[in-house]
């Protein structure tokens, strides 16, 4: 089923993101996580696409398992930065063969070696190409706080308009910790006439140093009070995880109270923590299927 059709039911939607195991680990290492996430009845699970190249084939394989063995809708990420048109067509055909109808169309990060030759310069070019194939429901990335490559949010919104014009059906945001930044962003989108559903990307913190690395790369801002706690527990991952889960529960509850379209949980392949977050959300929002399942 297409994600746009899922929106015809009740919003908000709850989705999870997983990434394929590294090439030197068997692909089966993710199966148990997928089973545990499936038990939480998310509306869909997305699978990242390795920009480095090594585990790209695994994205299709894992998305197919989610869709065909676990009967959960799958969203396959796809980056175009170092692919030819023929390669994109081949991957798209494989996705269709596996019954996968949803693609998150991204440019991807340029490889360390510098610019590459590609048939698609920006995500919107990939979106246009996929739209011409006619069959996919297409998502795209959004950046409520800008990104290191471009901190001009107004310009980012113009690029989102181009993505919509090219055929994007919905957006998923980069991880954000400060909800006010999201609400400002959504207001600006509305002013610019962008009415496509927007999933808010929430990344629970499990480890201070890891999240500092990730926010440095993505440009996401961490609230000062929360960062002080992460500093306090920099050498104690168990405590950092506890305050990280507390923060995520409060953040998601506030987002749901503001009636966002969807929450996209960056699970980091950790199902136990995702369950704990949803279970604790049950105190405030018990009507969501994923929340009800986590409480069982
Ligand atoms: P674009 O929207 O094309 O933007 C790329 C750059 O070009 C930006 O600086 C933008 O401002 C600029 N730009 C865009 N359009 C134009 C235009 N018309 N003219 C001039 N400049 C323009 N990466 C992976 O490798 N694998 C993944 O699975 C993955 N999943 C992601 C999931 C989400 C939800 C998000 C938010 C990001 C994900 N990324 C992933 C990271 C993403 O690939 C990088 O952020 C990448 O650098 C940009 O991709 P994009 O699709 O946003 O590119």
């Amino acid at each position: 089923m297409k994600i746009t059709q899922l929106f015809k039911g009740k919003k908000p939607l709850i989705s999870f993101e997983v990434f394929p195991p590294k090439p030197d680990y068997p692909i089966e290492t993710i199966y148990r996580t997928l089973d545990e996430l499936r038990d939480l009845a998310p509306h869909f699970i997305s699978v990242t696409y390795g920009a480095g190249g090594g585990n790209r084939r695994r994205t299709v394989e894992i998305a197919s398992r989610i869709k065909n063995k676990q009967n959960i809708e799958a969203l396959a990420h796809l980056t175009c930065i170092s692919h030819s048109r023929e390669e994109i067509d081949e991957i798209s055909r494989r996705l269709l063969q596996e019954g996968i109808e949803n693609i998150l169309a991204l440019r991807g990060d340029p490889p360390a070696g510098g610019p590459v030759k590609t048939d698609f310069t920006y995500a919107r070019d990939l979106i246009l190409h996929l739209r011409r194939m006619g069959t996919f429901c297409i998502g795209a990335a959004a950046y409520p706080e800008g990104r290191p490559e471009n901190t001009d949010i107004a310009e980012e919104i113009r690029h989102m308009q181009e993505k919509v014009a090219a055929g994007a059906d919905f957006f998923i945001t980069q991880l954000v910790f400060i909800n006010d930044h999201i609400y400002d962003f959504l207001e600006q989108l509305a002013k610019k006439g962008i009415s496509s559903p927007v999933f808010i990307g929430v990344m629970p913190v499990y480890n201070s140093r890891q999240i500092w690395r990730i926010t440095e790369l993505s440009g996401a801002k961490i609230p000062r009070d929360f960062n002080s706690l992460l500093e306090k527990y920099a050498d104690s991952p168990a405590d950092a995880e506890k305050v990280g889960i507390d923060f995520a529960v409060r953040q998601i509850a506030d987002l749901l109270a503001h009636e966002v379209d969807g929450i996209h949980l960056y699970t980091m392949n950790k199902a136990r923590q995702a369950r704990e977050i949803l279970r604790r959300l049950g105190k405030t929002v018990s009507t969501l299927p994923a929340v009800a399942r986590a409480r069982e």
Side-chain angles (χ1 to χ4, degrees):
M1 187 188 276
K2 295 192 162 123
I3 288 169
T4 37
Q5 285 167 280
L6 291 172
F7 269 106
K8 301 219 164 93
K10 229 172 155 192
K11 72 170 206 183
L13 302 190
I14 299 274
S15 56
F16 297 147
E17 179 177 298
V18 297
F19 51 83
K22 293 208 173 95
D24 40 344
Y25 286 88
I27 193 160
E28 291 78 17
T29 51
I30 198 175
Y31 288 177
R32 177 139 177 238
T33 305
L34 292 180
D35 287 344
E36 289 170 5
L37 291 175
R38 185 257 332 266
D39 289 345
L40 291 171
H43 289 94
F44 66 87
I45 299 180
S46 84
V47 190
T48 64
Y49 190 77
N55 52 5
R56 285 172 162 178
R57 293 192 75 84
R58 291 186 161 189
T59 300
V60 180
E61 219 174 318
I62 294 168
S64 171
R65 186 178 174 89
I66 292 166
K67 167 89 186 173
N68 299 308
K69 292 256 181 341
Q70 305 191 299
N71 300 317
I72 297 274
E73 224 27 78
L75 168 66
H77 297 209
L78 179 59
T79 62
C80 60
I81 188 137
S82 45
H83 276 315
S84 66
R85 189 179 303 270
E86 291 71 31
E87 285 166 335
I88 291 290
D89 288 349
E90 203 240 306
I91 300 165
S92 309
R93 269 196 297 276
R94 278 177 36 223
L95 287 169
L96 283 177
Q97 276 161 12
E98 299 298 326
I100 293 153
E101 299 172 272
N102 304 293
I103 294 185
L104 188 70
L106 304 145
R107 182 198 63 175
D109 290 315
V116 284
K117 196 176 169 314
T118 171
D119 285 336
F120 307 97
T121 310
Y122 301 114
R124 64 124 203 245
D125 305 324
L126 174 63
I127 294 166
L128 195 61
H129 184 68
L130 293 171
R131 176 53 68 225
R132 287 189 181 135
M133 294 180 84
T135 27
F136 291 110
C137 171
I138 304 168
Y143 301 83
E145 296 177 321
R147 44 175 143 186
E149 200 179 337
N150 182 19
T151 52
D152 183 340
I153 295 171
E155 192 187 323
E156 282 301 319
I157 292 175
R158 281 199 295 282
H159 296 324
M160 285 176 75
Q161 287 176 312
E162 293 167 0
K163 290 179 183 184
V164 173
D169 295 300
F170 66 93
F171 289 94
I172 302 183
T173 76
Q174 178 165 257
L175 67 146
V176 186
F177 291 105
I178 302 176
N179 285 357
D180 282 345
H181 292 180
I182 293 168
Y183 305 140
D184 286 350
F185 182 68
L186 294 177
E187 212 177 294
Q188 290 181 59
L189 294 189
K191 279 191 192 142
K192 295 289 175 189
I194 299 178
S195 57
S196 325
V198 180
F199 288 82
I200 311 302
V202 172
M203 182 176 284
V205 175
Y206 304 126
N207 176 316
S208 305
R209 293 186 208 289
Q210 181 192 41
I211 202 67
W212 290 331
R213 254 195 326 274
I214 292 172
T215 51
E216 201 186 320
L217 288 173
S218 66
K221 315 279 184 301
I222 303 179
R224 199 171 299 147
D225 293 359
F226 183 41
N227 201 47
S228 304
L229 280 174
L230 296 179
E231 278 168 0
K232 184 171 165 194
Y233 297 127
D235 295 315
S236 171
D239 288 311
E241 179 180 316
K242 192 173 165 306
V243 295
I245 288 178
D246 288 347
F247 185 90
V249 171
R250 284 198 306 276
Q251 183 185 8
I252 297 172
D254 186 68
L255 289 167
L256 294 175
H258 281 77
E259 300 185 346
V260 296
D261 296 316
I263 304 287
H264 188 67
L265 203 61
Y266 293 106
T267 68
M268 309 297 280
N269 294 3
K270 292 178 191 292
R272 179 179 60 76
Q273 291 84 342
R275 171 178 283 274
E276 175 62 10
I277 290 167
L278 292 168
R279 189 187 66 75
R280 286 180 46 193
L281 275 168
K283 290 184 187 142
T284 42
V285 276
S286 56
T287 48
L288 277 167
V291 168
R293 289 296 283 272
R295 298 183 83 193
E296 282 170 7

